[in-house]
Amino acid sequence: METSHTETNAIPITPANVVDGAVGVEKRHWFVAVVNNNSERSTAAKLIDKRMGDAYECYVPSQREKRVWKNGRKNEVDRILFPALLFVKCTELKRNEAKYLGYVKNFLVDFAKGSKGRHPVAVIPDAQIQQLKIMLEKSVTPVTIEDIHFRFGDAVKVTSGPLKGVEGNIVVEPKGSYLVI
């Protein structure tokens, strides 16, 4: 009499744990980490540190702009577009580990999803990060964040200028509406 031998500790193959054909590899997503003011670059450097391996990929959106100081001196500075925020690409497991590092305060949540105080962590699609990078590279003039009121779910598209063709959606946050590109 022959019996079939099955392994009980096998990991089921689902789209969540199959990445580019590799089984058991957790997919990496872009998350938005909240960090201390003026520590975006140093936090990114700490996360990318060689001791951490290649577990984290970080992106700090910034742009060069000319400033005129009170004494009349002109200087070119590198301005961070989203102060106290850092885009981090990692697995869910590594994101949970990063929460307990002293230099990451928390991660942004998606208020559009969830209910009764339970909102999932916001995941930024790769395409939106790529559009943000392209927007900052192509822009001849400094990119500014304007306080313009849109309705939730409005799809917008830049129709003229160096950012022509960049698309985004409106997400309602507790303190107003924002264009997500």
Side-chain angles (χ1 to χ4, degrees):
M1 183 183 212
E2 237 177 83
T3 60
S4 63
H5 179 17
T6 59
E7 197 171 312
T8 57
N9 293 337
I11 298 172
I13 298 172
T14 63
N17 61 6
V18 176
V19 177
D20 296 329
V23 178
V25 177
E26 195 175 351
K27 185 163 175 57
R28 293 165 42 124
H29 299 284
W30 283 103
F31 301 102
V32 182
V34 179
V35 298
N36 289 324
N37 288 333
N38 301 318
S39 71
E40 299 88 357
R41 287 191 180 93
S42 63
T43 300
K46 289 175 186 174
L47 287 173
I48 297 173
D49 190 315
K50 291 180 183 180
R51 290 176 285 154
M52 298 292 236
D54 62 349
Y56 300 100
E57 179 183 339
C58 298
Y59 176 55
V60 180
S62 64
Q63 61 187 354
R64 301 290 293 169
E65 66 181 27
K66 293 179 182 176
R67 290 256 176 101
V68 179
W69 304 106
K70 288 181 181 179
N71 62 5
R73 286 187 57 193
K74 295 178 183 176
N75 198 1
E76 214 173 88
V77 297
D78 200 23
R79 181 177 66 90
I80 293 177
L81 201 57
F82 304 107
L85 298 179
L86 168 67
F87 293 97
V88 179
K89 187 173 188 177
C90 61
T91 63
E92 180 64 26
L93 178 68
K94 288 296 181 181
R95 185 196 66 78
N96 279 325
E97 290 176 9
K99 284 192 314 189
Y100 299 105
L101 299 173
Y103 37 88
V104 175
K105 287 183 170 181
N106 212 338
F107 285 87
L108 290 184
V109 296
D110 189 350
F111 283 109
K113 297 179 182 175
S115 62
K116 295 186 181 181
R118 303 191 85 199
H119 302 286
V121 174
V123 175
I124 311 299
D126 288 339
Q128 287 183 0
I129 296 294
Q130 290 306 318
Q131 281 188 335
L132 177 61
K133 289 179 180 180
I134 290 168
M135 178 180 70
L136 291 175
E137 287 172 9
K138 287 185 176 182
S139 178
V140 179
T141 58
V143 174
T144 58
I145 309 298
E146 299 288 332
D147 186 19
I148 300 173
H149 297 285
F150 294 99
R151 291 187 328 231
F152 173 73
D154 286 351
V156 295
K157 182 176 183 179
V158 179
T159 57
S160 64
L163 304 177
K164 184 177 180 179
V166 175
E167 298 179 13
N169 293 318
I170 305 302
V171 177
V172 176
E173 302 257 341
K175 297 187 181 200
S177 298
Y178 300 91
L179 172 65
V180 177
I181 296 180

PDB file of all heavy atoms in Angstrom, residues 61 64-65 102 116 137:
ATOM      1  N   PRO A  61      11.711  63.767  -2.985  1.00  0.00           N
ATOM      2  CA  PRO A  61      11.505  64.696  -4.102  1.00  0.00           C
ATOM      3  C   PRO A  61      12.001  66.093  -3.741  1.00  0.00           C
ATOM      4  O   PRO A  61      11.594  66.672  -2.731  1.00  0.00           O
ATOM      5  CB  PRO A  61       9.996  64.712  -4.308  1.00  0.00           C
ATOM      6  CG  PRO A  61       9.450  63.609  -3.476  1.00  0.00           C
ATOM      7  CD  PRO A  61      10.460  63.282  -2.446  1.00  0.00           C
ATOM      8  N   ARG A  64      15.914  72.235  -7.482  1.00  0.00           N
ATOM      9  CA  ARG A  64      16.799  73.382  -7.329  1.00  0.00           C
ATOM     10  C   ARG A  64      16.005  74.637  -7.630  1.00  0.00           C
ATOM     11  O   ARG A  64      15.242  74.692  -8.586  1.00  0.00           O
ATOM     12  CB  ARG A  64      17.987  73.299  -8.292  1.00  0.00           C
ATOM     13  CG  ARG A  64      18.854  72.070  -8.149  1.00  0.00           C
ATOM     14  CD  ARG A  64      19.680  72.011  -6.920  1.00  0.00           C
ATOM     15  NE  ARG A  64      20.702  73.025  -6.889  1.00  0.00           N
ATOM     16  CZ  ARG A  64      21.413  73.299  -5.826  1.00  0.00           C
ATOM     17  NH1 ARG A  64      21.228  72.622  -4.717  1.00  0.00           N
ATOM     18  NH2 ARG A  64      22.325  74.232  -5.827  1.00  0.00           N
ATOM     19  N   GLU A  65      16.169  75.636  -6.789  1.00  0.00           N
ATOM     20  CA  GLU A  65      15.522  76.913  -7.052  1.00  0.00           C
ATOM     21  C   GLU A  65      16.392  78.049  -6.541  1.00  0.00           C
ATOM     22  O   GLU A  65      17.218  77.857  -5.636  1.00  0.00           O
ATOM     23  CB  GLU A  65      14.116  76.974  -6.447  1.00  0.00           C
ATOM     24  CG  GLU A  65      14.038  76.937  -4.964  1.00  0.00           C
ATOM     25  CD  GLU A  65      12.604  76.976  -4.455  1.00  0.00           C
ATOM     26  OE1 GLU A  65      11.684  76.528  -5.170  1.00  0.00           O
ATOM     27  OE2 GLU A  65      12.397  77.457  -3.343  1.00  0.00           O
ATOM     28  N   GLY A 102      13.951  54.725  15.440  1.00  0.00           N
ATOM     29  CA  GLY A 102      13.777  56.015  16.101  1.00  0.00           C
ATOM     30  C   GLY A 102      13.597  57.186  15.158  1.00  0.00           C
ATOM     31  O   GLY A 102      13.075  58.221  15.542  1.00  0.00           O
ATOM     32  N   LYS A 116     -14.323  53.842  10.752  1.00  0.00           N
ATOM     33  CA  LYS A 116     -14.320  53.845  12.216  1.00  0.00           C
ATOM     34  C   LYS A 116     -12.906  53.841  12.793  1.00  0.00           C
ATOM     35  O   LYS A 116     -12.560  53.059  13.657  1.00  0.00           O
ATOM     36  CB  LYS A 116     -15.105  52.656  12.748  1.00  0.00           C
ATOM     37  CG  LYS A 116     -16.571  52.735  12.382  1.00  0.00           C
ATOM     38  CD  LYS A 116     -17.362  51.646  13.041  1.00  0.00           C
ATOM     39  CE  LYS A 116     -18.808  51.770  12.622  1.00  0.00           C
ATOM     40  NZ  LYS A 116     -19.664  50.791  13.220  1.00  0.00           N
ATOM     41  N   GLU A 137      11.863  66.323 -13.141  1.00  0.00           N
ATOM     42  CA  GLU A 137      12.966  66.400 -14.100  1.00  0.00           C
ATOM     43  C   GLU A 137      12.655  67.352 -15.245  1.00  0.00           C
ATOM     44  O   GLU A 137      13.515  68.107 -15.685  1.00  0.00           O
ATOM     45  CB  GLU A 137      13.271  65.011 -14.675  1.00  0.00           C
ATOM     46  CG  GLU A 137      13.949  64.087 -13.705  1.00  0.00           C
ATOM     47  CD  GLU A 137      14.071  62.663 -14.241  1.00  0.00           C
ATOM     48  OE1 GLU A 137      13.784  62.434 -15.447  1.00  0.00           O
ATOM     49  OE2 GLU A 137      14.450  61.786 -13.455  1.00  0.00           O
TER      50      GLU A 137
END
